[in-house]
Amino acid sequence: MLVLAALIPAPRFAKAADVDTEQLVHIARNRRLSEAPYWRTLLHCPQNIRPYQSYIDDPAFFLAETGQTDADAELTALIRTFWGATPSERPICRFIARYTWVYEQLADVIDTPPLVCEEAERLEPSSASLVFPTYHLNNPASMFGHTFLTIESDYQTPVLADAINYAAMPDSHNPISYMFKGIAGSFKGYYSILPYYKKIQEYGDMAQRDIWEYPLTLTPEETRRMVLHILELKESYSYYYFFDKNCSYMLQFLLETARPGLSLTHEKGLTVIPIDTIKAMQKAGLITEARYRPSIGSRIQAGIGRLSHTEIGLAQDLSDGTLDPKAFLAMDLPEKTKRITLDLVSDVARYRRAKGKLSQAAFRPLFLGTLKARKNLGKGTPDEKAVEAPPEPTTGHDAARISATIGTRDGDSFEEFAITPAFTNLLNTDYTKREGIQIEFLHARARFDNDKGDLNLQAFTLLDILSLSPRNAFIRPLSWTFHAGYEKRMTATGALKGAYSLSAATGMAWNLSDESLFFFLPEAELLASDGLDKGAALGAGLYSGVLLSPTDRWRMLLSGHLARRLPDDTTESRLAFENNLTLNRNNRIGLSLSRTDVDSHHAWETALSWHHYF
């Protein structure tokens, strides 16, 4: 027996030497691991933040009580937890990315094999994509668009991928309250994991938002490294700030954990919006292509565009159930027209069901009856369902803008300088031609009056939003506008006085053609100024106009604004003709002519502007 025992390899009986936990802590400090850029990334602290402070606000994310503000304390706590405690006390899956990285850095002095997270072992990620549901101005939470990630596996179709989302958990459904709470960081933001097909339903079907998909150039190993970190973030919160620490910015940490050495988060400016993140990823080589997924609203609009007015009426009758599909098939119409009409009807049924305008009991027979009729007509050609993609978002102008203007007001010349951190105005054609989009945040404008020789703040806009969503035979959204800010306004004496205003309007818009849009918005305004008789006034009025896009580079707006104010009993009107010509991606020229009337006084103003985006 002694001879047999001697022949058995020693490791079968040998026990690995116990690791001296405090010695590991000492080695980690000597190697300055807590100062490593990647450790800061794992703790969600940008490289340019001094002193260190994590953007994760949930105490449960950290092992050390001071982990949010002390990177070394968090590293020490992790080492003591995973190399000093009993196995039953090691929450490996909760800290798998941090544990894995520390193990790799200390592998040369650790005698024990790495711990295993069974949840992580079951995952087989192969690739990832960035997804951008486009602008949704009817929801202030999404007026800049949204971004999230999808994690794909080789054995799954793309729509079955996992979607990694970061979003605020609001306690208010009031859009104005939501907006101001979001600016102040009053909501908690959480990372969540949902099936991608559910996000397609949420954005493409319910919210009618086109989706752009950007496959990322991450390797399977980089994707897996990112997934390990995602496991750590489940149920952890950060305070959500609408303009910077938002859905777009907080996802950048995930990309940095995937590819060590990547620098995205440290370049944050005053604002971070989704389009900024997409362009930053392009610049870093993470994105090389884009795929367009049209919303159900875009598919409906494309179907309407292929039919005559009479044929659209037939589609309405089919959608309302007043025309039977069998009777429709018997009509003397080209088969192509019948296919387009029935495809349109099935999209309309899905849209109405998603919006809750059609019960399941009513939806099922309508949808199945339409599909049954459609089967009799053959597959058709691809062009019958094709949806023309709008301009790809990254080809548009950058988010911030500076403007220089020369002009005259009733014969007196002036110069103006303006700056706008974000984002776009109504006269740009970069993102849409059929709709009207304006989002301006912290817009400031100063004017030098050459006649008086003085420089004054002409306007400061806290937030200005204008959403012109055209209505059609099947989709009838409301258009609206909201404005909060300060501006020099004409008074009943003809003088210009500073005024603080809060206004909102809601109404309707229609496409007169593919290149034109008419809108009609009844408006209410609260105005405060020492140029008013009572210091404040409440006004009711109307804002209306026509938006034209004669070419891809030229847009013009002819608009009128009429308001009646009480208790000072004044009427203000403004007519304006504005033009915007695109020179290249980030440079525009604007030309405007306007007349403002307040009771018996009026003023003409002309202006020529240069706008540069950066």
Side-chain angles (χ1 to χ4, degrees):
M1 291 181 64
L2 290 173
V3 171
L4 289 173
L7 294 175
I8 297 175
R12 294 287 297 275
F13 291 112
K15 181 178 181 296
D18 290 335
V19 178
D20 186 334
T21 306
E22 294 309 311
Q23 185 178 7
L24 280 181
V25 170
H26 182 71
I27 293 170
R29 285 177 175 159
N30 282 343
R31 295 180 180 181
R32 306 179 72 174
L33 296 187
S34 67
E35 300 176 25
Y38 194 73
W39 179 247
R40 290 175 66 102
T41 295
L42 288 170
L43 296 179
H44 285 223
C45 178
Q47 302 303 313
N48 60 338
I49 296 296
R50 294 290 187 273
Y52 157 85
Q53 178 160 357
S54 171
Y55 282 1
I56 301 291
D57 296 294
D58 193 339
F61 180 76
F62 305 98
L63 282 163
E65 288 188 10
T66 59
Q68 186 182 18
T69 56
D70 190 336
D72 183 70
E74 182 63 19
L75 180 66
T76 299
L78 184 135
I79 292 173
R80 287 172 176 165
T81 297
F82 290 102
W83 283 275
T86 60
S88 62
E89 297 173 348
R90 294 173 180 168
I92 182 61
C93 292
R94 188 73 178 81
F95 300 93
I96 182 61
R98 280 168 279 182
Y99 167 83
T100 300
W101 181 78
V102 173
Y103 186 94
E104 290 171 353
Q105 306 309 305
L106 299 175
D108 59 322
V109 294
I110 296 176
D111 297 326
T112 56
L115 299 175
V116 174
C117 169
E118 293 184 2
E119 183 180 2
E121 291 299 306
R122 290 193 296 267
L123 300 174
E124 298 180 28
S126 60
S127 59
S129 297
L130 178 73
V131 181
F132 176 54
T134 54
Y135 319 102
H136 183 44
L137 297 191
N138 284 330
N139 181 353
S142 302
M143 65 185 184
F144 291 109
H146 184 57
T147 48
F148 60 90
L149 299 173
T150 58
I151 307 296
E152 299 99 22
S153 299
D154 289 334
Y155 58 85
Q156 287 180 324
T157 59
V159 295
L160 294 178
D162 287 325
I164 313 303
N165 189 55
Y166 177 79
M169 296 295 289
D171 57 11
S172 171
H173 296 289
N174 181 291
I176 304 301
S177 172
Y178 186 103
M179 180 172 58
F180 283 105
K181 286 189 174 184
I183 292 173
S186 298
F187 298 134
K188 291 179 179 178
Y190 287 89
Y191 292 90
S192 61
I193 303 175
L194 293 169
Y196 182 35
Y197 72 86
K198 286 188 175 293
K199 302 302 287 184
I200 293 174
Q201 292 172 350
E202 176 186 349
Y203 292 116
D205 293 353
M206 295 182 66
Q208 306 162 57
R209 297 167 65 178
D210 291 339
I211 293 173
W212 287 91
E213 300 168 341
Y214 299 91
L216 299 174
T217 60
L218 297 178
T219 66
E221 178 57 32
E222 289 173 330
T223 304
R224 180 173 177 77
R225 189 181 293 120
M226 180 172 65
V227 168
L228 293 183
H229 184 56
I230 291 168
L231 293 179
E232 296 187 329
L233 291 166
K234 289 193 302 183
E235 300 180 4
S236 295
Y237 68 83
S238 305
Y239 287 107
Y240 188 100
Y241 289 84
F242 194 72
F243 289 107
D244 52 7
K245 288 184 276 187
N246 51 26
C247 68
S248 187
Y249 181 73
M250 297 301 281
L251 284 184
Q252 295 179 16
F253 286 103
L254 305 186
L255 277 299
E256 290 183 343
T257 61
R259 182 171 291 175
L262 191 64
S263 296
L264 296 172
T265 57
H266 75 286
E267 296 180 359
K268 182 175 78 68
L270 179 63
T271 62
V272 180
I273 60 178
I275 196 65
D276 292 331
T277 293
I278 299 171
K279 290 178 179 179
M281 291 182 182
Q282 275 187 329
K283 185 178 180 181
L286 288 166
I287 292 173
T288 58
E289 61 174 308
R291 297 193 293 250
Y292 173 62
R293 185 184 293 273
S295 69
I296 197 167
S298 294
R299 294 200 302 272
I300 289 172
Q301 184 61 50
I304 290 173
R306 297 186 176 100
L307 299 176
S308 68
H309 181 74
T310 301
E311 292 160 354
I312 292 171
L314 294 174
Q316 288 178 301
D317 292 340
L318 285 165
S319 298
D320 295 338
T322 57
L323 175 61
D324 186 77
K326 292 181 181 179
F328 174 72
L329 287 178
M331 290 182 175
D332 185 19
L333 293 169
E335 285 202 352
K336 179 179 179 180
T337 299
K338 292 179 180 178
R339 285 194 297 266
I340 293 172
T341 302
L342 291 171
D343 286 338
L344 172 60
V345 172
S346 64
D347 280 336
V348 170
R350 288 182 54 215
Y351 161 75
R352 289 178 174 172
R353 178 66 190 127
K355 299 292 285 185
K357 298 180 178 180
L358 198 64
S359 68
Q360 181 64 26
F363 167 77
R364 184 177 176 83
L366 173 63
F367 188 67
L368 294 180
T370 303
L371 292 182
K372 185 176 180 180
R374 176 66 179 82
K375 284 180 64 177
N376 296 309
L377 299 172
K379 187 176 181 180
T381 59
D383 68 287
E384 294 174 8
K385 288 188 175 182
V387 178
E388 183 181 359
E392 197 269 306
T394 62
T395 63
H397 62 72
D398 291 334
R401 180 178 82 241
I402 55 172
S403 303
T405 300
I406 57 173
T408 63
R409 179 181 176 85
D410 279 352
D412 295 334
S413 64
F414 64 83
E415 293 82 39
E416 280 188 355
F417 178 80
I419 184 165
T420 310
F423 160 57
T424 193
N425 68 20
L426 199 59
L427 290 168
N428 283 316
T429 58
D430 298 56
Y431 303 103
T432 178
K433 289 179 66 176
R434 294 185 54 83
E435 300 175 318
I437 294 175
Q438 178 160 300
I439 312 169
E440 293 191 335
F441 172 63
L442 297 183
H443 166 79
R445 181 158 47 95
R447 173 178 293 190
F448 182 79
D449 188 315
N450 291 310
D451 182 56
K452 297 180 180 178
D454 58 4
L455 177 68
N456 290 291
L457 178 66
Q458 188 71 12
F460 178 78
T461 302
L462 176 64
L463 186 63
D464 187 271
I465 310 170
L466 179 57
S467 168
L468 300 178
S469 302
R471 301 160 72 89
N472 60 41
F474 303 100
I475 301 175
R476 300 179 178 91
L478 287 176
S479 295
W480 63 282
T481 180
F482 173 82
H483 173 88
Y486 166 89
E487 185 180 11
K488 293 281 190 179
R489 301 276 286 267
M490 181 186 285
T491 67
T493 65
L496 287 174
K497 293 286 187 178
Y500 299 90
S501 64
L502 185 67
S503 64
T506 184
M508 293 171 281
W510 298 267
N511 284 124
L512 304 178
S513 68
D514 285 343
E515 293 79 28
S516 62
L517 181 71
F518 169 74
F519 60 93
F520 182 88
L521 305 175
E523 184 179 49
E525 181 181 41
L526 179 63
L527 200 64
S529 171
D530 59 9
L532 298 170
D533 289 343
K534 305 296 183 181
L538 185 64
L542 178 67
Y543 180 40
S544 184
V546 178
L547 194 61
L548 302 170
S549 302
T551 72
D552 289 341
R553 290 178 172 268
W554 180 23
R555 201 171 215 189
M556 55 179 136
L557 173 64
L558 179 62
S559 64
H561 208 147
L562 178 66
R564 180 70 177 173
R565 300 197 193 97
L566 295 173
D568 64 336
D569 198 29
T570 58
T571 299
E572 179 181 355
S573 64
R574 184 177 186 271
L575 292 174
F577 179 58
E578 301 169 81
N579 292 265
N580 189 60
L581 181 65
T582 299
L583 302 178
N584 52 42
R585 174 177 168 181
N586 281 322
N587 290 282
R588 317 290 156 95
I589 290 178
L591 177 64
S592 66
L593 171 66
S594 66
R595 172 176 167 139
T596 303
D597 287 76
V598 179
D599 290 348
S600 61
H601 295 274
H602 72 270
W604 286 93
E605 185 168 303
T606 59
L608 177 65
S609 303
W610 167 70
H611 308 289
H612 174 69
Y613 291 85
F614 62 97

